[in-house]
Amino acid sequence: MANNVKPRVRVQKTATKGEVVEIKTLISHNMESGRRKGKDGKLVPRSIINKFTVTFNGKPVFSSDWAPSISANPYMSFFAKVNESGEFAFKWMDDDGSVYDSTAKITVA
Amino acid sequence: MKTNWKQITFLAAAIGFGACMFAANADATDWGKYQVGEHRSGYTYMTDESRAMQNDNFQNPGMLWVEQGAELWAKVDGKAGKSCASCHGESGDSMKGVAARYPVYDQNLGKLQDLEQQINYCLETRMETKPYKWESDEMLSMTTFVSYQSLGMPVNVKVDGPAAAAFEKGKAFYYERRGQLDMACKHCHEDNAGGIIRANTLTQGQGNGFPTYRLKWQKVGSLQRRFRGCNNEVRAKPYPYGSEEYTNLELYVKWRGQGLPIEAPSVRN
């Protein structure tokens, strides 16, 4: 599915001030480790997402470096405290230089 | 000299088989719809984490195939200028219950037809285009999409009447010893469900979760891919995809889980 990379995020639409919300993400990606041999007996070249970052209203809230043993179609969830309305911006960095992104808005009532 | 460690560990496991026999699963858990009489879905043997992954549509990576299937469903292809949606409707609603009933005996073709074969039949004769290759992304997306429409519906295959002969052949296959390890499906899935084999918990080998997202495969796979894997594990030569042997076996295996809910796409270890 590396030819069909598609990020997905799920964040609740509204929250109360100071609420801790769960943010769920999943991206379709092969995450080819570089350690697997193909049918021809040769190593299949590594091709993974190596970094995942999230900002909220431009400020970093979450970041992680990914390694070759992370599964295909990686799911990542984390919690964040929201004090104001705004937008989460998600970025996945691919070995091949591609960057996949997505956003999600949340309103603090 | 090259040593085939995979084979050796497996043989060792098989030798240990008789000696360290697995204690019967004295499990009093109420598995709800995932258990019908003695029959337990593979779901009941998975870890809590795998189950959580299956239960949450967002987390379940198998849903990616459902999404892709929905796109294919609406895609016009072939000389007839049609998509599946042209005849079966925009949504997949018309496919509700199909996965629970398949494989079925097709009166016109005079043979047992599984879901993959039915889809290819529509592609070739009704859309006048190329069939999907077995286990291709297209086929898996379409079978997962179609099967997902039956999510939660009880398996209800017909094994009498014209399907009886195929059913009997499937049953015979199930109990037949094969491969260098000389084992039948029964030896693992009937006699030793709940036991551990090579870091895998053996289940009853039910078919209700297919197509399944298998963590080891890192993708969705068909029931016949699973059969091939199980044949390989006992060092038997697997049959080709779509072979009569495997289609008969699909019917029999589905019947063993009659009443269990369709879980496609399930998540298995």
Side-chain angles (χ1 to χ4, degrees):
Chain A
M1 294 196 85
N3 48 0
N4 192 4
V5 181
K6 207 160 112 193
R8 309 197 299 165
V9 301
R10 183 177 290 173
V11 181
Q12 64 196 60
K13 297 228 160 31
T14 58
T16 52
K17 191 171 158 61
E19 188 177 338
V20 175
V21 299
E22 183 175 18
I23 288 133
K24 296 178 171 184
T25 73
L26 187 143
I27 187 160
S28 48
H29 195 285
N30 269 346
M31 296 294 282
E32 192 58 64
S33 69
R35 300 192 188 122
R36 195 176 63 90
K37 283 185 182 146
K39 285 208 174 83
D40 57 3
K42 296 202 186 94
L43 283 181
V44 182
R46 168 179 147 161
S47 164
I48 68 167
I49 291 169
N50 56 53
K51 198 174 181 65
F52 171 61
T53 65
V54 187
T55 60
F56 184 67
N57 290 341
K59 287 191 273 306
V61 289
F62 186 86
S63 164
S64 65
D65 292 325
W66 290 3
S69 53
I70 289 185
S71 74
N73 310 315
Y75 169 79
M76 175 75 80
S77 81
F78 61 94
F79 292 88
K81 192 170 174 176
V82 288
N83 289 316
E84 57 187 30
S85 300
E87 188 176 77
F88 286 99
F90 306 82
K91 276 192 197 319
W92 291 259
M93 269 62 100
D94 195 303
D95 275 349
D96 70 8
S98 315
V99 177
Y100 316 106
D101 39 37
S102 185
T103 56
K105 286 199 170 71
I106 189 163
T107 307
V108 170
Chain B
M1 198 188 83
K2 261 208 182 134
T3 314
N4 190 339
W5 286 108
K6 208 175 155 196
Q7 177 161 4
I8 288 178
T9 41
F10 193 78
L11 285 172
I15 290 161
F17 227 64
C20 60
M21 215 53 294
F22 325 98
N25 212 326
D27 186 340
T29 312
D30 174 8
W31 290 111
K33 64 178 177 183
Y34 295 101
Q35 173 159 20
V36 174
E38 295 287 295
H39 303 304
R40 276 170 58 184
S41 162
Y43 181 90
T44 68
Y45 295 89
M46 295 299 119
T47 59
D48 289 343
E49 290 81 2
S50 299
R51 278 198 285 265
M53 207 169 169
Q54 174 174 325
N55 294 346
D56 177 358
N57 267 359
F58 185 83
Q59 239 190 100
N60 185 341
M63 291 305 291
L64 297 169
W65 277 261
V66 174
E67 277 174 25
Q68 282 197 155
E71 284 168 25
L72 267 184
W73 180 260
K75 201 174 121 194
V76 174
D77 185 20
K79 288 206 200 76
K82 292 201 156 75
S83 69
C84 316
S86 318
C87 297
H88 294 293
E90 289 295 311
S91 74
D93 283 356
S94 60
M95 293 289 122
K96 221 173 167 359
V98 169
R101 281 192 286 113
Y102 268 65
V104 296
Y105 185 84
D106 187 306
Q107 297 284 3
N108 294 328
L109 300 175
K111 70 179 208 53
L112 192 69
Q113 189 81 327
D114 68 10
L115 191 53
E116 283 85 350
Q117 289 158 348
Q118 174 61 48
I119 290 170
N120 274 343
Y121 184 80
C122 278
L123 281 166
E124 285 190 271
T125 64
R126 296 183 173 128
M127 289 169 67
E128 297 172 56
T129 184
K130 281 205 296 287
Y132 300 144
K133 285 213 182 69
W134 206 288
E135 227 56 21
S136 64
D137 238 12
E138 280 120 327
M139 182 58 98
L140 290 170
S141 301
M142 190 57 83
T143 50
T144 310
F145 172 76
V146 169
S147 302
Y148 178 67
Q149 312 306 320
S150 304
L151 184 70
M153 293 176 73
V155 171
N156 184 18
V157 288
K158 210 165 157 17
V159 300
D160 55 2
F167 175 78
E168 289 305 327
K169 282 187 205 155
K171 181 176 180 183
F173 192 105
Y174 195 89
Y175 287 99
E176 204 167 76
R177 288 176 178 270
R178 64 190 71 245
Q180 284 174 4
L181 299 190
D182 204 27
M183 290 168 81
C185 314
K186 157 199 196 290
H187 293 119
C188 285
H189 295 299
E190 207 171 273
D191 301 348
N192 291 305
I196 306 280
I197 184 166
R198 272 168 100 215
N200 251 322
T201 299
L202 272 173
T203 72
Q204 294 180 354
Q206 298 289 359
N208 61 308
F210 286 81
T212 186
Y213 188 90
R214 191 165 182 226
L215 298 170
K216 186 180 158 192
W217 293 337
Q218 298 272 290
K219 63 181 297 209
V220 159
S222 70
L223 184 52
Q224 295 208 6
R225 177 171 181 190
R226 184 67 249 192
F227 292 165
R228 288 175 63 87
C230 285
N231 278 169
N232 269 322
E233 284 202 60
V234 297
R235 308 269 133 201
K237 192 166 180 289
Y239 288 83
Y241 282 120
S243 59
E244 200 190 320
E245 286 83 355
Y246 277 174
T247 308
N248 294 341
L249 187 59
E250 267 192 62
L251 179 64
Y252 177 68
V253 166
K254 282 283 276 288
W255 174 81
R256 290 176 65 93
Q258 196 85 303
L260 290 176
I262 295 291
E263 288 171 37
S266 66
V267 174
R268 298 287 188 261
N269 296 340

